[in-house]
Amino acid sequence: LKGARLVTPVPQSTGRKEMHLAVEAVTSTWVGRWGTEVTHRYEPVVADGRLRRVPSGGTLPSVVTLTPELMYTLGLFLAEGWLTHPKGYSDWRFGFAFAKKEHAVAEKVAVVIQRTFGIHTFLKERRTTLSVHATSAMLGEVLYKWFGHKAAGKRVPEWVFECDDLLVWHFLHGYLSGDGTYDQHGGWRG
């Protein structure tokens, strides 16, 4: 997107508006209390519109409505988001990094994540930065599959291009808000 310009006006809504979430079965192995190796397989199950891995406790909605706010947030995740798995792929943590002055945007992102996915988020303030944090093995896995990991490995997921123009516009607006600049004469630049 180097040198690309985003042209406004905002397009009209016409295409894809829902996303079915999917996760894979996970096998965890650990050393039990008596020194024996324990292996457990967590299978994905959909019940009452929620996706979960049995027998673990976390859930996600099985279908997510793609709103302009969510697409903006996902665009911001591509630009400003991070993923980590300190205890292996069954323990994903993710978040967004912002400048301290972007408090209103950080709060909006936290609300969108909580409302859309039912995941608890919290804000963490440091001396010069502000970040939104969350922990969800399943949502972390979904974000990893969609966007990749670390700056050099991130990508725009193919399903974004199947969305209607309005949702793609909000996704790009979120991305450029994180990794773009605005100049009064040239508009947005990536």
Side-chain angles (χ1 to χ4, degrees):
L1 283 176
K2 277 276 190 243
R5 295 175 191 225
L6 182 63
V7 180
T8 18
V10 178
Q12 298 301 309
S13 183
T14 55
R16 182 179 199 155
K17 296 197 180 3
E18 288 186 336
M19 174 61 65
H20 292 265
L21 300 183
V23 295
E24 297 172 8
V26 173
T27 302
S28 293
T29 304
W30 65 92
V31 177
R33 192 164 140 184
W34 307 107
T36 59
E37 191 172 276
V38 178
T39 301
H40 197 80
R41 186 168 172 84
Y42 298 90
E43 296 288 340
V45 174
V46 175
D48 299 322
R50 301 289 295 175
L51 176 65
R52 67 178 292 197
R53 283 199 184 107
V54 174
S56 72
T59 67
L60 289 177
S62 59
V63 177
V64 171
T65 301
L66 299 175
T67 63
E69 295 82 15
L70 177 60
M71 293 301 286
Y72 178 85
T73 300
L74 294 174
L76 266 176
F77 182 79
L78 182 63
E80 303 289 351
W82 51 266
L83 285 162
T84 184
H85 44 85
K87 296 178 186 171
Y89 286 94
S90 64
D91 181 41
W92 283 101
R93 294 177 188 171
F94 62 94
F96 300 75
F98 297 102
K100 203 164 190 170
K101 66 182 179 183
E102 297 176 295
H103 210 279
V105 176
E107 286 179 348
K108 181 179 176 184
V109 163
V111 168
V112 170
I113 295 294
Q114 289 174 351
R115 188 179 63 222
T116 305
F117 300 106
I119 304 287
H120 173 72
T121 61
F122 63 95
L123 299 178
K124 191 172 197 173
E125 257 185 81
R126 293 200 170 98
R127 191 173 57 78
T128 59
T129 62
L130 175 65
S131 54
V132 176
H133 290 252
T135 300
S136 169
M138 287 192 296
L139 187 54
E141 180 183 329
V142 167
L143 292 172
Y144 178 76
K145 285 180 184 176
W146 285 351
F147 298 104
H149 186 41
K150 299 191 178 180
K154 282 192 175 177
R155 65 189 173 277
V156 176
E158 287 186 32
W159 61 261
V160 168
F161 301 106
E162 298 169 8
C163 292
D164 67 39
D165 291 345
L166 177 67
L167 296 175
V168 172
W169 187 90
H170 282 282
F171 180 86
L172 290 173
H173 184 64
Y175 175 73
L176 291 173
S177 293
D179 276 352
T181 59
Y182 184 79
D183 131 4
Q184 291 179 327
H185 304 290
W188 283 102
R189 295 174 188 225

